Each structure stands twice: as C-alpha cells, then as structure tokens.
Amino acid sequence: MDSKNLIRHLAQHVHSTRFEDLTTAEVDRTKQCLLDCLGNMLAGRFSGKADGFLRHAASSIQPDGATIFGFQKVTLEKAAFCNAAFSRVMDLDDGHRRAMGHPGVVIIPTVLAVGEVLHATTQEAIAAIVAAYDVYIEIGMAINPYSYTVKGFDTTGVAGTVAAAAAIAKLKHLDMETTKHAMAIAALHSGGFIEYLSDGSSGKLLCPAWTAATGLRSVEMAECGFTGPDSVLEGTHGLFRCFSENADLSNFGATLGTTRHIMTAYFKAHACLRRLHAAIDALLAARKQHALSLENVRRIVVNAGDFVLKADARRPSTLVAAQGSMPFVLAVALKHGKVSRESLQSSMGDPELEAVQDTISLKFSEAIAARQASDSSLWGKFNWRSKRRTASSLLNMRRSARENLRPPCHGTNCKGSLWINSSARPRRLKRSDWRRLSPGSTPLTASTHSFRRFRLRASPRTLRTRPWRRAVDDVSARRRLALAIIGRGNVTTDAIAAC
C-alpha cells in the first residue's frame, strides 16, 4: 500500500466491505464478538458502576432515540456512551494481541445504538463491525507495542475513535469521501492514556465511552461538510508520529480485503489485564495438577520483560488497581481457583492474601526480553515452589489455554503453549488438557441463532430475579446469556433461567 493518504485507503476499504463477501466463519466470528460484548454490557449495566452513567443520561430521554440496557431510550450519543462504559466494567472485553486495547468495547455498542436508530439489518451491522475491526487493528498494529507499553497511550481510545467513525459511516452508507473525512476528523481527536492504572480511578470506564461519543460527533461533522487531512495518519504531525516513535508501516493495509482481522481477536477468561493471563493459566493448571493451595506454596516467581514488570503493584486499594496487579491476581487465583470480578472484590483487604502477595515476585529477565524482541507473544516465565515440588511454565501468549471460545485445537497441527516441567522432563499439554482447562469444552455456535433488526430491551425487574451474575465469569455462559437477550428481542425470567 502507498505510504501516503493512508486514511483514504482505510476509508476505501470500509466503503467497499460487503456482507456478501464475508465467509461463514467470518460472520460467525462477528456474532461471537457481538454476543461476548452483549454479555459484558448486561453485566456492567447491573453492577454498581452503572448508577453514575444513568444519572448522566437521565436528562437525555428521547422516545425515538437508542436504548440504554435496562433503562430507557435516550439520545444516540448518550446510549453509545453508557453502553460502551457498561461493556468495560467487568474487564472481560475482547481484544487483539498485536494491536492491543479492546476494539469490541467501542465498536459494538456504537453499532448497536446507531443500528437501532437507523433500523439497520443484521447484515449491515455485521459488515460495519467487520470493517471497523479492520480499521482498529491496522492502526493498533502500526503504533504498538511502543505506544501502549512505553508511552502509555490507551489504544482503545486512539484506534477506537477512528474505528467507531468507520462503523457509523458504514451503517449510514456514506460515500467514500465523507467516510474518509469522518475518520480523519476522528483521528485528529483521538487519545487517552493509562495513568488511571496508578490509582484505579474511573478513566478505564470512561475511555471507551468517550471514544464512542467522539466517533459519533466526527461523523456528524463530516456530514455537515467539515473535513480532515489526507495525511492525518502518516503526516509530520499525524497520529502515528504522535502516538508512536517507531510506527511500523511496512505491512500497513497489505492484507485488507483478503484477511479479516476480527478472526484474530481474543476473548478474555479472567477479569484483569491481558498481560496477566498467561501467568494465571500456568498457576491454575499447576494448582489443579499438584493440589497447590495457600498453605503449601512457598514461593512464586514470574520472570518477564519490562512490560509485565509494570504490573508489580501490591495491596491494591481499588478494583481497577487490583485488575492490574500480578501479585494480587495470582494470590486470588491460588485461593479461589479463578479470577473474576467477584473473587477480586471479595479478596480486597483479605489479610491472608496480603501475606501471600509477599511470596510472589516479578523479576526482569534479559533472556525473556531478548526473545520478546523477535517474538512479542512471549511475555515471561512462571516458576513456583511448594513443599514437595518445583516447576516452571513458559508464558507464551501466542495461544493461551483460555484464549478462545472456539475449540483451540484444529486437526493435527495444534501445539499447546502452556508448558509444565516435571523434574527435567517437559511435556506439552494434550488435547484433553485443553478441554479440561477451557471454561467450556463445547462452545455455543452463534450461527444457529437468528439475529433480526435491533430491538434490544432489558427489564431491571426480570434481570434481578435470577442470580445470573455468576454466569458472566464463564465465557460460554456469557454468550448464552446474551443470546437470551436478543433471541426474541426481550429478556424474560424464563430466558435467563434457560441459561
């Protein structure tokens, strides 16, 4: 692809993306992302974090607007704003390893809100989501890992703003030139950084909400005749130079139209930062295999590069801070056998876990850092010692045991990434181990369910009649819960009970 006018190339791709050109696998994957986001959105709506957002939207009631889950119809911007924030509350939003950040938490709530107002068809919504994921991931891969790991910019806010504008322009069937200007205006006003991790303040929830609203405003401005520069991405003062000092444009857009990036998005099984997941997987596997517990584990060491070492905060005082603390989440995993929002909250201030955190250490490894330079999937090495055994696990993020909802092994070419060393003889995880470690061995097939026009309503009264929140921690259950919402356009007690 020409290294000039990159935003125009992306806009052309968005404009030319058609549902008819998508494969069955790509459509199914998009539905899985949609279901995963809906499950997170529903859980976030009925958490304590939703109250402030509902107060913010209370003055914007609009009968012909878009729906906030479990609330009322409000203005389009407020609906996208609040639903995007709800999708982030559980910290289980989908993501992309190389692009970093979380595309679905911005794109899908925006598409749902705009699609509802426009009476969009499912085919139109799916095409918009696929095109927007392509935009997000292309921009994210160009600026990362430097932008996020070194500079501390939140890719969800940087790439997500342009992707949200792309999705809206696609749903509105805007011409290519207007689409380009909408995306360029969005790029000019993108941003967000992760200093909220230092104290667990509200920036993490507000980032996708602000991003969705900025995408909406950018499209409105483009429709009113305002313009954005062709060089907004690669220019001297463009997005790539502002957010990354070494943006990689060598393969930018090279596979657009032939490879759909949504196929490489991951789903989270642990309610914490993605960089902590491999160590959690290793600990949970060792915990089950060797009956590890708080009583018999003497020491845990994670050898890693600089990126993972930033997660060494201890005794967090807020939930957001807890979700970014390696010692804390490993202590929770060791005690509870899982890392969910509920297990994290219930463990805050637990004196038993505070003592365990002192036995968990993160150490810089030059060998790991050197290997990361050639393989960014490798994030560290996990070691543990109990009264009887000492073992280690190589933390390779290329395929973690809990990464995907679909079966992780296909054919005979499947190689596990979680290594358990017993004495001096390592072994790979077998297919049966993958099944045992996965949250659900037989994932739901989204393609068997019909998706009609967007008529999404959620009643607080019916939702509160069932203890559904426990199901959200299980990724497959999260999908089943979402299907209950959209199966007939409403939520009923019976539908939730069927989950």
Side-chain angles (χ1 to χ4, degrees):
M1 177 181 286
D2 186 1
S3 60
K4 296 182 179 180
N5 303 328
L6 296 181
I7 196 71
R8 185 174 293 276
H9 289 292
L10 289 179
Q12 179 61 50
H13 171 70
V14 171
H15 188 258
S16 62
T17 298
R18 302 189 311 154
F19 176 84
E20 293 75 17
D21 297 331
L22 302 179
T23 66
T24 300
E26 291 164 350
V27 172
D28 288 348
R29 185 64 167 178
T30 307
K31 291 179 179 180
Q32 290 173 358
C33 291
L34 175 62
L35 292 173
D36 190 73
C37 184
L38 280 169
N40 283 316
M41 191 187 304
L42 181 62
R45 161 62 185 89
F46 292 96
S47 68
K49 293 292 184 180
D51 296 342
F53 290 101
L54 297 182
R55 289 195 297 272
H56 173 67
S59 61
S60 304
I61 305 300
Q62 185 173 310
D64 59 346
T67 302
I68 292 179
F69 272 97
F71 191 57
Q72 302 182 53
K73 287 182 179 291
V74 297
T75 60
L76 178 58
E77 182 177 314
K78 290 295 176 64
F81 187 94
C82 293
N83 287 334
F86 297 161
S87 303
R88 191 74 179 268
V89 168
M90 303 303 292
D91 204 2
L92 289 166
D93 36 340
D94 71 11
H96 191 272
R97 185 176 307 112
R98 290 185 59 200
M100 312 192 90
H102 307 278
V105 73
V106 174
I107 295 168
I108 292 175
T110 303
V111 168
L112 290 177
V114 176
E116 180 182 11
V117 171
L118 296 178
H119 304 290
T121 64
T122 302
Q123 288 80 2
E124 292 171 330
I126 288 176
I129 292 172
V130 170
Y133 267 72
D134 284 342
V135 170
Y136 181 104
I137 293 171
E138 283 291 339
I139 294 175
M141 289 193 300
I143 63 176
N144 280 314
Y146 184 88
S147 180
Y148 180 78
T149 62
V150 179
K151 300 295 290 183
F153 289 112
D154 194 331
T155 312
T156 304
V158 177
T161 308
V162 186
I168 299 164
K170 184 64 179 176
L171 280 175
K172 289 190 169 186
H173 302 288
L174 300 183
D175 61 78
M176 206 284 293
E177 197 66 20
T178 307
T179 299
K180 171 256 168 184
H181 286 304
M183 294 169 62
I185 293 170
L188 285 173
H189 299 91
S190 62
F193 46 95
I194 59 173
E195 185 58 26
Y196 53 74
L197 293 177
S198 66
D199 60 3
S201 49
S202 301
K204 187 171 184 176
L205 302 182
L206 291 172
C207 178
W210 224 275
T211 301
T214 303
L216 280 162
R217 292 183 181 182
S218 300
V219 173
E220 291 173 359
M221 292 298 99
E223 289 180 298
C224 292
F226 293 92
T227 61
D230 282 351
S231 59
V232 70
L233 294 181
E234 74 283 356
T236 303
H237 304 292
L239 183 147
F240 292 152
R241 289 180 182 267
C242 288
F243 292 104
S244 181
E245 294 183 5
N246 56 355
D248 181 10
L249 305 182
S250 58
N251 295 313
F252 187 88
T255 60
L256 285 177
T258 57
T259 300
R260 305 295 180 181
H261 289 311
I262 197 169
M263 299 298 292
T264 55
Y266 66 73
F267 299 108
K268 295 174 74 174
H270 308 304
C272 60
L273 292 183
R274 182 68 174 87
R275 74 183 86 167
L276 313 182
H277 283 212
I280 297 171
D281 288 331
L283 177 58
L284 291 178
R287 180 181 184 270
K288 185 170 184 178
Q289 184 175 357
H290 303 291
L292 301 183
S293 66
L294 297 179
E295 291 73 26
N296 62 20
V297 171
R298 296 178 177 177
R299 186 183 182 193
I300 294 175
V301 180
V302 179
N303 298 299
D306 291 327
F307 181 48
V308 175
L309 259 61
K310 294 178 181 179
D312 197 22
R314 296 167 188 274
R315 295 169 180 79
S317 57
T318 66
L319 180 61
V320 172
Q323 291 168 331
S325 168
M326 177 75 83
F328 184 74
V329 299
L330 290 182
V332 171
L334 185 60
K335 179 175 181 178
H336 297 284
K338 63 178 181 178
V339 179
S340 65
R341 183 182 177 86
E342 286 71 23
S343 64
L344 290 171
Q345 282 182 321
S346 64
S347 301
M348 300 288 288
D350 185 338
E352 189 176 33
L353 292 188
E354 288 186 2
V356 173
Q357 290 180 64
D358 293 332
T359 68
I360 300 172
S361 60
L362 279 67
K363 292 187 176 181
F364 177 76
S365 169
E366 293 185 0
I368 294 294
R371 291 189 62 178
Q372 278 184 301
S374 58
D375 181 6
S376 60
S377 295
L378 185 66
W379 283 4
K381 188 175 182 180
F382 171 83
N383 305 298
W384 60 269
R385 175 178 295 176
S386 69
K387 294 180 180 179
R388 297 183 177 180
R389 299 182 62 83
T390 298
S392 64
S393 301
L394 189 64
L395 306 186
N396 191 310
M397 303 298 289
R398 189 174 298 282
R399 184 185 290 278
S400 88
R402 292 173 174 261
E403 178 184 12
N404 291 314
L405 290 178
R406 63 181 185 274
C409 294
H410 300 279
T412 59
N413 196 32
C414 175
K415 295 182 178 179
S417 61
L418 187 62
W419 289 74
I420 304 294
N421 292 346
S422 177
S423 300
R425 186 178 180 182
R427 71 176 180 86
R428 291 182 187 271
L429 287 181
K430 299 178 182 178
R431 186 184 297 266
S432 59
D433 293 321
W434 284 100
R435 243 176 223 287
R436 174 171 54 79
L437 291 172
S438 297
S441 59
T442 307
L444 195 66
T445 304
S447 60
T448 61
H449 298 266
S450 62
F451 288 70
R452 303 184 183 280
R453 291 181 182 271
F454 291 104
R455 298 175 56 195
L456 304 175
R457 300 184 298 276
S459 165
R461 181 181 62 81
T462 56
L463 285 171
R464 288 170 180 163
T465 58
R466 297 282 174 177
W468 59 270
R469 290 175 182 81
R470 290 197 298 266
V472 178
D473 296 328
D474 185 313
V475 213
S476 297
R478 212 155 68 223
R479 284 161 139 194
R480 293 195 296 272
L481 182 61
L483 281 171
I485 303 170
I486 63 177
R488 295 184 178 275
N490 201 354
V491 176
T492 65
T493 303
D494 291 340
I496 296 174
C499 294

